[in-house]
Amino acid sequence: MLILGIETSCDETGLALYDTARGLLAHALFSQVDVHVEYGGVVPELASRDHVRKALPLLDEVLARAGCRGADIDGIAYTAGPGLVGALMVGATLARALAWGWGVPVLGVHHMEGHLLAPMLEDEHPEFPFVALLVSGGHTQLVRVDGIGRYRLLGESLDDAAGEAFDKTAKMLGLPYPGGPQIARLAQRGEPGRFHFPRPMVNRPGLDFSFSGLKTHALNTVEGCRGAGELSERDACDIACAFENAVVATLVVKCRRALRQEGLDTLIIAGGVSANTKLRAELQRALVKDRARVFYPAPQFCTDNGAMIAYAGAQRLLAGQADDGDSQVRPRWPMETLPPLPARAPRGRLPGDRRV
Ligand code: KG4
Ligand code: ZN
């Protein structure tokens, strides 16, 4: 079964072709970073317009790379939320138009479910049940996952998401958006012992997070170093290092606590911040001690991409789910409201498969 995935929830246009028998055949991504860089963040209207420009050329690209034609596609999955409403509507409209033209089923996929299932694209992937740490620009959540659509929220950020804290701290250091990779780059040259940032909420029971205090601490440190002048490169590197260490240490403490609480030994991390090499290394180090394992997506599938949407959509389309006539995009959409799939997803034909 060949599924086309379309991701347009924020500032990346991602298309991919996933075959349920052969795996991922092709994916293509256009990042709008240069479109938004001068504004220091994503401008929704510009994002929507750029998705309109890029989606069809990327569709041609994935078809060519996979050696397929549009008529080979058996179903279409697009990101229906959460995200920017205009950006979501571009992907939804394209998906529905193509599905109508090709006579195939179409399904709106939850963006965070896409992230959560991205580690399944790897050869070595986890088995259910596991704990998932979802860390992106808009979300920081710990979720117990017993199967597709079987999600229980264990904890989440009470204020800023981890990625958002990276982005805001980067801005204070004069670094461009998105800030996560920029902070990680500077942190490598930082002196770890010079500043100590707080580890928010680690001494309180529970699995919630809070990152806004850390951001304020970063601001005070930046202002203290800068005085009346410019922040030196050395100060910026040391602050980036202290900030990254604090976020990573906090995430590691909560992940271990979640695994212990749930009696599980498998963790997955997904979402843009899961590309952070320090986070990956520290989780790996900590979980070895606990005899637990951590899985993550390949770096290109940590941030937004079409492959994760194609994969998540393929599982649900195979189980018989599809949009009805009046489906809508959902800028806000709690993941726990998704319908569960049967423990063993059926392998077979898609509803309405033209090749029956
Ligand atoms: O999942 P994603 O691409 O988009 C959302 O759904 O939000 O995540 C983007 C976020 C941004 O905040 C970005 O700064 C952060 O992921 N990010 C990172 C790294 N790469 C991306 N944060 C820390 N370290 C990285 N290497
Ligand atoms: Zn995302």
Side-chain angles (χ1 to χ4, degrees):
M1 303 283 163
L2 185 61
I3 306 299
L4 171 68
I6 303 175
E7 157 63 35
T8 64
S9 67
C10 189
D11 60 344
E12 252 120 15
T13 320
L15 277 88
L17 286 168
Y18 178 82
D19 185 286
T20 52
R22 293 181 290 161
L24 186 65
L25 300 188
H27 72 98
L29 187 81
F30 180 81
S31 168
Q32 302 177 354
V33 165
D34 293 342
V35 174
H36 304 288
V37 73
E38 65 177 292
Y39 305 98
V42 179
V43 182
E45 178 59 25
L46 296 183
S48 312
R49 290 185 203 180
D50 209 57
H51 288 309
V52 172
R53 273 193 288 271
K54 295 299 176 340
L56 281 175
L58 290 179
L59 173 61
D60 290 340
E61 196 174 321
V62 289
L63 285 170
R65 280 194 202 163
C68 299
R69 294 169 310 131
D72 298 329
I73 290 170
D74 298 301
I76 303 178
Y78 64 93
T79 305
L84 303 171
V85 67
L88 292 168
M89 282 174 69
V90 176
T93 309
L94 174 64
R96 288 181 201 150
L98 291 173
W100 188 78
W102 290 332
V104 296
V106 60
L107 178 68
V109 169
H110 193 289
H111 181 78
M112 296 312 290
E113 180 172 73
H115 275 306
L116 190 152
L117 297 176
M120 298 299 191
L121 289 163
E122 301 305 306
D123 289 340
E124 208 182 328
H125 56 76
E127 302 283 336
F128 302 116
F130 52 73
V131 169
L133 172 69
L134 301 178
V135 266
S136 68
H139 293 79
T140 302
Q141 296 183 326
L142 274 163
V143 182
R144 182 187 166 107
V145 181
D146 285 294
I148 295 176
R150 296 167 188 274
Y151 309 132
R152 185 157 55 80
L153 185 66
L154 303 173
E156 64 184 332
S157 179
L158 304 177
D159 39 58
D160 291 353
E164 195 179 352
F166 267 99
D167 295 336
K168 288 178 176 169
T169 302
K171 206 168 181 177
M172 292 173 209
L173 297 176
L175 300 167
Y177 177 88
Q182 305 283 344
I183 295 237
R185 191 175 47 80
L186 284 199
Q188 280 175 347
R189 289 184 284 133
E191 165 63 53
R194 180 159 165 223
F195 301 112
H196 183 81
F197 277 41
R199 271 69 172 144
M201 294 182 73
V202 295
N203 295 325
R204 275 199 242 162
L207 295 169
D208 287 333
F209 304 89
S210 164
F211 291 108
S212 68
L214 202 52
K215 194 184 59 193
T216 312
H217 192 90
L219 183 62
N220 292 339
T221 313
V222 168
E223 282 175 355
C225 288
R226 189 191 283 142
E230 288 285 299
L231 196 68
S232 74
E233 167 117 9
R234 185 154 177 224
D235 289 340
C237 290
D238 293 346
I239 293 170
C241 181
F243 171 82
E244 183 181 56
N245 283 344
V247 175
V248 167
T250 307
L251 294 174
V252 170
V253 166
K254 298 285 166 128
C255 286
R256 293 177 81 180
R257 194 180 289 173
L259 287 172
R260 263 200 309 277
Q261 174 188 303
E262 296 302 306
L264 295 176
D265 63 4
T266 308
L267 176 79
I268 69 116
I269 54 169
V273 182
S274 71
N276 186 280
T277 47
K278 177 113 201 195
L279 175 62
R280 289 173 175 231
E282 291 299 315
L283 274 173
Q284 190 86 45
R285 216 156 61 103
L287 294 199
V288 164
K289 284 192 244 154
D290 299 345
R291 294 175 189 278
R293 291 188 71 190
V294 55
F295 294 83
Y296 22 68
Q300 77 265 33
F301 301 136
C302 288
T303 44
D304 293 349
N305 65 87
M308 66 185 195
I309 300 304
Y311 179 86
Q315 310 311 309
R316 290 188 172 276
L317 284 160
L318 268 179
Q321 295 179 18
D323 278 4
D324 54 26
D326 59 353
S327 314
Q328 301 202 338
V329 296
R330 306 176 69 170
R332 289 178 190 277
W333 189 5
M335 202 169 63
E336 310 86 84
T337 61
L338 292 176
L341 248 55
R344 218 168 257 286
R347 301 270 155 231
R349 293 192 176 109
L350 290 177
D353 190 336
R354 288 156 300 140
R355 285 177 282 180
V356 167

